[in-house]
């Protein structure tokens, strides 16, 4: 069906999407285990390609050395933030000593963060090869080339932002931007995959006008993104409560507005998903790709609701935090692909 070079791109793009979700899984594990500062420097870990396994292997005087390096990087980052008009945020980055606080060495946390970085490196190479192989479409579908190459630059920014996450000692709003940028990278990869697979296989697209369904799918996606933003707000509040030594059993009660809005949006998302599911099932009687992804979106939404209930009812267990994040990312990808599938076939 596809020429050899195009098939190579499609397979590489598909692998890239899978690896990107693995990066999010690894990031979720890092977040839920509190391993974000397992490596105090970047891109190496304790200035080593392979991190230490015991405190005796640590460089002499590493605490002051890395704190000094992070302070310099934060000053440069503060200038960038100041340039965009956020002077108060920049001032906090410059003068908040808590973001330079040293964390004691923990081998398990160090290796958890290190593995997360390794998976990120693999994803970076996958994106690079995807961009290289995309040039097969330079004449037939140049937009695939443009977006594939752009995604490489976005992942470079993401890697730089990852270093800022470390240097600012996991400053909450930077983690939120880091997460949203990860979803953007996933979205671009899904888009190029969709464009490449539908270039010759038009049967994937519907031979009817689906503007109403596409609009509903878009609304569902927007609600999902807003929910992710509030979800990261919930996580940031939990981090703060944990730092204040608030008992785990009190976390949910003390989160406040972020949690309430996040929960309401979850019900809104479920309602839209159910309506969209039945509309897609009514529009496509047979088991098309549209109906398959409508099923996937519905199942992932229910799984997301279930993991959220577990978090709320059982004092925010770590495994449920990772599950909640990973399912949310998968749901975002499935919703976005379903929306793309609503594109009308052009004769």
């Amino acid at each position: 069906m596809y020429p050899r070079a195009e098939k190579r791109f499609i397979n590489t793009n598909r692998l890239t999407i899978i690896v990107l979700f693995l990066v999010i899984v690894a990031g979720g594990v890092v977040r839920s285990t509190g391993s974000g500062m397992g490596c105090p420097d970047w891109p190496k870990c304790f200035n080593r390609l392979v991190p230490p396994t015991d405190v005796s292997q640590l460089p002499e005087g590493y605490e002051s050395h890395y704190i000094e390096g992070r302070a310099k990087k934060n000053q440069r980052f503060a200038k960038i933030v100041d340039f965009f008009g956020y002077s108060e945020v920049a001032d906090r980055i410059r003068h908040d000593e808590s973001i330079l606080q040293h964390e004691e060495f923990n081998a398990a946390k160090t290796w958890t963060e290190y593995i997360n970085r390794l998976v990120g490196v693999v994803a970076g190479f996958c994106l690079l090869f995807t961009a290289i192989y995309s040039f097969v479409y330079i004449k037939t579908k140049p937009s695939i080339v443009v977006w594939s190459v752009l995604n490489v630059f976005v992942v470079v920014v993401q890697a730089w932002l990852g270093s800022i996450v470390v240097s600012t000692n996991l400053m909450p709003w930077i983690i939120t931007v880091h997460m949203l940028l990860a979803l953007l990278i996933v979205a671009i990869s899904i888009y190029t995959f969709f464009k490449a697979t539908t270039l010759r296989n038009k049967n994937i697209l519907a031979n009817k006008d689906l503007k109403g369904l596409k609009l509903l799918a878009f609304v569902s996606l927007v609600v999902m993104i807003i929910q992710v933003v509030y979800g990261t707000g919930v996580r940031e509040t939990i981090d703060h409560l944990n730092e204040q030594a608030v008992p785990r059993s009190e976390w949910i009660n003390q989160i406040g507005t972020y949690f309430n809005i996040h929960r309401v949006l979850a019900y809104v998302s479920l309602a839209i998903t159910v309506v969209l599911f039945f509309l897609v099932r009514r529009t496509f009687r047979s088991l098309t790709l549209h109906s398959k992804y409508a099923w996937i979106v519905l199942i992932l939404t229910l799984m997301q609701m279930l993991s959220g209930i577990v978090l709320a009812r059982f004092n925010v267990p770590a495994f449920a935090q990772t599950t909640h994040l990973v399912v949310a990312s998968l749901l975002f990808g499935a919703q976005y692909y379903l929306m793309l599938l609503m594109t009308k076939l052009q004769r």
Side-chain angles (χ1 to χ4, degrees):
M1 182 184 295
Y2 301 104
R4 185 176 179 179
E6 290 186 12
K7 189 174 183 179
R8 182 176 60 184
F9 169 82
I10 291 170
N11 289 337
T12 305
N13 200 342
R14 183 187 290 111
L15 176 63
T16 299
I17 294 169
I18 294 171
V19 174
L20 286 172
F21 281 119
L22 289 178
V23 172
I24 293 174
V25 171
V29 173
V30 166
R31 197 86 170 94
S32 63
T33 57
S35 303
M37 290 302 295
C39 294
D41 52 336
W42 191 97
K44 293 182 179 180
C45 188
F46 291 98
N47 200 35
R48 296 164 59 122
L49 292 176
V50 178
T53 56
D54 187 81
V55 67
S56 63
Q57 300 173 326
L58 297 177
E60 185 177 349
Y62 76 94
E63 300 99 328
S64 58
H65 173 73
Y66 293 134
I67 288 174
E68 182 181 344
R70 284 162 51 192
K72 290 180 180 178
K73 181 174 285 188
N74 290 345
Q75 292 300 317
R76 292 193 296 268
F77 180 58
K79 290 181 180 179
I80 296 174
V81 175
D82 212 356
F83 174 80
F84 286 101
Y86 297 95
S87 55
E88 291 184 9
V89 177
D91 190 62
R92 184 190 167 193
I93 293 172
R94 290 188 180 101
H95 300 105
D96 186 355
E97 294 184 2
S98 67
I99 65 177
L100 296 176
Q101 186 176 355
H102 166 65
E103 184 170 312
E104 293 299 321
F105 173 75
N106 181 304
K109 290 184 177 181
T110 293
W111 276 85
T112 300
E113 167 62 13
Y114 180 68
I115 292 171
N116 174 47
R117 294 186 184 185
L118 287 181
V119 179
V121 170
V122 173
F125 277 108
C126 286
L127 286 163
L128 178 61
F129 281 109
T130 299
I132 293 171
Y133 294 154
S134 71
F135 279 86
V136 68
Y137 297 101
I138 192 67
K139 293 182 179 179
T140 56
K141 200 70 176 178
S143 62
I144 294 177
V145 181
V146 172
W147 285 106
S148 296
V149 172
L150 177 64
N151 219 9
V152 174
F153 286 98
V154 176
V155 83
V156 169
V157 174
Q158 177 76 328
W160 169 77
L161 194 60
S163 73
I164 297 299
V165 169
V166 173
S167 68
T168 57
N169 198 10
L170 313 179
M171 185 171 279
W173 71 268
I174 300 177
I175 295 176
T176 300
V177 175
H178 197 52
M179 176 63 188
L180 292 175
L181 203 57
L183 293 180
L184 175 62
I185 294 169
V186 170
I188 293 174
S189 292
I190 291 174
Y191 178 76
T192 55
F193 177 80
F194 170 77
K195 284 295 183 181
T197 52
T198 56
L199 181 62
R200 298 186 184 278
N201 186 10
K202 301 294 186 182
N203 294 329
I204 295 176
L205 302 177
N207 191 20
K208 57 183 73 177
D209 190 356
L210 300 174
K211 287 183 180 178
L213 283 177
K214 191 169 186 176
L215 177 61
L216 188 59
F218 174 75
V219 171
S220 176
L221 188 64
V222 170
V223 171
M224 175 66 190
I225 294 172
I226 297 173
Q227 196 180 356
V228 167
V229 172
Y230 276 97
T232 55
V234 170
R235 179 66 222 187
E236 290 166 9
T237 306
I238 286 176
D239 287 344
H240 177 72
L241 293 173
N242 190 33
E243 290 172 0
Q244 300 299 316
V246 175
R248 203 180 190 95
S249 59
E250 296 295 321
W251 285 357
I252 294 297
N253 293 331
Q254 295 194 32
I255 292 174
T257 304
Y258 275 118
F259 176 70
N260 294 330
I261 295 176
H262 184 66
R263 182 168 54 183
V264 169
L265 287 173
Y267 287 114
V268 173
S269 180
L270 176 62
I272 295 173
T273 299
V274 171
V275 172
L276 182 61
F277 172 78
F278 282 108
L279 288 176
V280 171
R281 292 288 292 171
R282 189 179 68 179
T283 304
F284 301 94
R285 299 294 183 181
S286 59
L287 193 60
T288 63
L289 199 58
H290 302 77
S291 56
K292 286 180 182 177
Y293 269 87
W295 270 109
I296 291 172
V297 168
L298 179 62
I299 292 170
L300 288 174
T301 301
L302 293 175
M303 289 175 62
Q304 183 72 344
M305 292 286 291
L306 179 60
S307 63
I309 291 171
V310 171
L311 284 168
R313 299 294 183 184
F314 297 96
N315 301 327
V316 199
F319 79 91
Q321 294 175 44
T322 303
T323 302
H324 201 60
L325 173 63
V326 172
V327 173
S329 303
L330 291 171
L331 178 57
F332 168 82
Q335 285 179 321
Y336 180 58
Y337 191 65
L338 180 59
M339 185 188 74
L340 292 175
L341 288 173
M342 302 299 177
T343 304
K344 185 180 179 182
L345 174 63
Q346 298 294 328
R347 294 296 183 182

